[in-house]
Amino acid sequence: MSKILKDLYYSDDHEWVKVLENDVVLIGITDFAQSELGDVVFVDLPEEGDELVQGNEFGAVESVKAASDLIAPISGEIIEVNEELAAEPEKVNQEPYEAWFLKVKLNDSKELDNLLDHKAYKEEISE
Amino acid sequence: MENLKKTSLYNKHLELGAKMVDFAGYNMPILYTSIKEEHQAVRNNVGMFDVSHMGEIIITGAQAQSYLEYIFTNKVYDLNPGEIAYGMMLNEDGTVVDDLLVYKFNKSEFLLVVNASNIAKDYKHLVESSDGFDILVKNISEDYSEIAIQGPEAEKTVNKLLNINLKELKFFNYDQYEYGSHRLLISRTGYTGEDGFEIYGSSEAINQLWDIFIDGGVTPCGLGSRDTLRFEANLPLYGHEISGKITPIEAGLKYFVKLNTDLDFLGKDALLDQIDNSLSRRVVGLELSKKAIPREGYKVYKDEIEIGYITTGYYSISIDKPIALAMINRPYTKKGTKISVKIRNKMVPGFIRDKKFLKDRK
């Protein structure tokens, strides 16, 4: 059974968004996503300063078997990239809700309304 | 999923919690726990694969040997009973119908082990190529199950768990063994680049052996690790490095083609012509200079020019590098040639290298 945390927002593309403060969020992939992908070997991410646009592809998670596109769950400017993932991509499998990919400053916090809460996400993955 | 075939070990896979996929019309395990762990079990210890989906075809008849010499790229006449040859069957134009193992029982009886995805096509090709030969082609794929025990500890493990001593069995040889009331055919062959065995028997026998190996601690391995292992060992996969559009010369498999003999075989003229006049591309090794993964189908460039495509590529589990096999146009096939691979619209730099990936192991 996949783990789902209560206080996060979720996208249909199996990413989570955690709101920190002042419209700053962390983005990662869900337990369900990492389990479907299998052994993650590389996370291909954009750079600090780049812009995300909700719904647009911004990188990929590569497991042994396949590359899976990352779709931006929200729009905003990347203010930090988790450099630890370059050396330890397996963290994505081990602790999917700790191994964040990007820290982003939201353009418009109303975009969060387009995402799912934990209950809706649970339904989404049980279909 | 209703029309998918199942091997006799299907329920064993489900019991072990395997993730199942559609492969060549069969519902097969892609992994049990993790491709990486299964891969490492085979490289460092011992693993077991269900390969019952592979096709088995028997050729019998007074002219079986001369027929095989005609349809198979490798030499058959100098095989002794008990020996096996790897090679290919070709179309008239030199492209590959399938790659296969030929087990010689005697001059008038041979076992062909072919790819699951090609069984029907191979059978048709074999029958259509048999005009003028007094032989019989019989597809016995449904009658046998097969497991592969692979890894440096394979010999010891079989000895310990089955009490069968395979020390004297040489690479690419087979023999018949009794196990309880069962008869097994065991060959020292595999598809991983490690020592190991392929065991053929009745479904009942193979199910019994599967349980013994699992209970004895052998790691069950799925198709995912089968592919990462064979790729690192530069073993071709039909539909990737070889296909109905690729010749053995282009695939770099000339070693398994008896061009240095007077023996005639189907496709020979086309290959000779290609060598003399028109070899325009070749499968080579490729490595990326930064971390990214060169996947199958990605395009390869020299400056702005498209010069080929990736046939198989991974972030190598054994050597910790992004490497690939790629079909590259000449003259860009030379080792050291700087190239780029287009990955999600980005050009990632790399270079052409040898295909002996495993020699980079630390």
Side-chain angles (χ1 to χ4, degrees):
Chain A
M1 194 54 208
S2 297
K3 215 166 97 177
I4 299 172
L5 300 190
K6 272 188 184 164
D7 302 331
L8 306 182
Y9 292 94
Y10 296 89
S11 77
D12 292 344
D13 305 301
H14 310 289
E15 283 144 19
W16 55 259
V17 176
K18 182 178 186 177
V19 180
L20 298 176
E21 63 215 3
N22 300 331
D23 293 341
V24 172
V25 300
L26 294 179
I27 295 171
I29 64 166
T30 66
D31 190 34
F32 176 82
Q34 71 76 21
S35 143
E36 287 291 304
L37 285 166
D39 305 308
V40 171
V41 288
F42 175 53
V43 187
D44 188 4
L45 295 173
E47 291 171 7
E48 199 181 308
D50 288 355
E51 290 282 335
L52 293 189
V53 178
Q54 190 173 45
N56 286 9
E57 179 261 321
F58 69 91
V61 185
E62 303 242 22
S63 67
V64 172
K65 199 66 201 159
S68 177
D69 284 344
L70 290 166
I71 309 296
I74 43 77
S75 307
E77 186 193 341
I78 298 168
I79 53 178
E80 197 178 339
V81 176
N82 186 355
E83 304 292 347
E84 280 176 18
L85 295 181
E88 294 182 288
E90 63 276 9
K91 287 270 188 222
V92 178
N93 294 115
Q94 293 159 353
E95 299 173 324
Y97 296 108
E98 295 294 319
W100 57 276
F101 292 0
L102 303 173
K103 189 184 276 186
V104 178
K105 172 92 176 154
L106 295 182
N107 288 349
D108 179 1
S109 59
K110 283 195 191 117
E111 276 187 354
L112 292 169
D113 299 341
N114 301 332
L115 300 174
L116 308 170
D117 66 8
H118 71 279
K119 278 184 195 153
Y121 182 63
K122 190 176 176 182
E123 263 173 50
E124 170 84 17
I125 61 172
S126 61
E127 270 163 19
Chain B
M1 301 287 262
E2 278 168 25
N3 296 324
L4 288 180
K5 287 196 250 180
K6 294 170 182 155
T7 73
S8 72
L9 294 166
Y10 177 75
N11 286 322
K12 307 280 179 201
H13 304 319
L14 297 189
E15 281 165 27
L16 288 164
K19 195 170 187 176
M20 305 296 284
V21 294
D22 171 8
F23 179 80
Y26 281 83
N27 198 213
M28 296 293 288
I30 186 154
L31 59 88
Y32 298 85
T33 56
S34 133
I35 293 174
K36 220 165 161 177
E37 283 167 22
E38 291 163 24
H39 178 108
Q40 278 156 346
V42 172
R43 284 273 179 264
N44 305 321
N45 192 0
V46 58
M48 170 166 64
F49 301 83
D50 175 13
V51 278
S52 304
H53 59 308
M54 299 292 287
E56 289 92 12
I57 295 172
I58 293 270
I59 307 290
T60 52
Q63 292 177 299
Q65 177 149 313
S66 50
Y67 167 72
L68 272 166
E69 209 72 83
Y70 173 64
I71 57 106
F72 189 57
T73 60
N74 211 339
K75 283 174 283 190
V76 177
Y77 74 90
D78 68 350
L79 287 179
N80 293 311
E83 292 181 345
I84 304 160
Y86 169 80
M88 286 148 278
M89 299 193 283
L90 305 182
N91 294 304
E92 185 92 51
D93 66 1
T95 58
V96 180
V97 177
D98 201 2
D99 64 337
L100 64 152
L101 293 179
V102 169
Y103 290 62
K104 184 171 184 175
F105 293 143
N106 56 60
K107 272 187 170 179
S108 51
E109 190 171 15
F110 294 83
L111 166 68
L112 279 49
V113 180
V114 305
N115 283 301
S117 52
N118 288 335
I119 297 171
K121 181 181 78 173
D122 290 351
Y123 180 80
K124 189 163 170 269
H125 175 81
L126 286 163
V127 170
E128 284 174 357
S129 311
S130 69
D131 275 359
F133 291 98
D134 178 17
I135 58 114
L136 198 70
V137 182
K138 198 174 163 198
N139 178 7
I140 57 161
S141 303
E142 305 289 325
D143 304 346
Y144 286 90
S145 289
E146 184 193 353
I147 50 173
I149 305 295
Q150 299 281 302
E153 297 298 318
E155 187 191 296
K156 268 190 220 159
T157 303
V158 172
N159 198 354
K160 191 176 85 183
L161 298 177
L162 302 186
N163 200 22
I164 293 175
N165 187 346
L166 297 172
K167 202 171 178 188
E168 304 299 321
L169 187 65
K170 291 189 192 124
F171 189 50
F172 266 66
N173 278 237
Y174 71 87
D175 209 340
Q176 312 239 21
Y177 299 85
E178 302 280 331
Y179 185 76
S181 58
H182 302 299
R183 283 187 71 186
L184 306 173
L185 187 155
I186 304 182
S187 59
R188 194 164 208 139
T189 49
Y191 195 44
T192 60
E194 298 299 328
D195 187 21
F197 305 93
E198 294 180 293
I199 306 178
Y200 304 80
S202 66
S203 297
E204 193 194 339
I206 295 299
N207 268 266
Q208 197 180 330
L209 261 53
W210 179 273
D211 288 342
I212 291 168
F213 283 118
I214 292 293
D215 293 345
V218 176
T219 304
C221 299
L223 293 174
S225 56
R226 188 169 158 82
D227 197 50
T228 56
L229 288 157
R230 70 90 197 162
F231 157 72
E232 288 181 352
N234 183 28
L235 299 168
L237 174 61
Y238 194 86
H240 299 250
E241 286 73 36
I242 48 175
S243 77
K245 289 179 177 164
I246 300 171
T247 73
I249 310 302
E250 292 170 327
L253 297 171
K254 205 170 146 187
Y255 179 79
F256 303 101
V257 184
K258 52 198 171 199
L259 286 168
N260 52 351
T261 69
D262 293 335
L263 298 164
D264 193 25
F265 60 91
L266 191 56
K268 186 182 187 181
D269 292 343
L271 297 190
L272 289 173
D273 179 61
Q274 186 172 48
I275 289 171
D276 290 341
N277 303 313
S278 62
L279 183 62
S280 61
R281 54 181 195 164
R282 209 153 55 74
V283 173
V284 297
L286 180 155
E287 182 174 329
L288 296 183
S289 310
K290 58 172 269 194
K291 196 159 179 181
I293 305 179
R295 305 270 179 196
E296 179 193 348
Y298 289 3
K299 287 175 177 154
V300 182
Y301 293 81
K302 175 71 187 173
D303 304 321
E304 301 301 304
I305 313 162
E306 189 181 321
I307 57 164
Y309 63 93
I310 306 293
T311 56
T312 307
Y314 284 108
Y315 191 80
S316 167
I317 296 169
S318 302
I319 67 169
D320 203 26
K321 288 177 183 174
I323 51 172
L325 292 168
M327 181 65 89
I328 300 294
N329 296 338
R330 294 172 81 198
Y332 305 105
T333 48
K334 286 201 191 78
K335 279 173 209 153
T337 304
K338 292 202 164 72
I339 51 86
S340 304
V341 178
K342 195 173 191 178
I343 302 178
R344 291 184 290 279
N345 285 319
K346 277 181 273 184
M347 289 293 202
V348 179
F351 54 92
I352 304 298
R353 58 161 287 167
D354 65 88
K355 294 185 277 189
K356 291 174 184 156
F357 301 125
L358 283 176
K359 75 169 178 32
D360 292 14
R361 261 198 283 185
K362 285 172 196 125

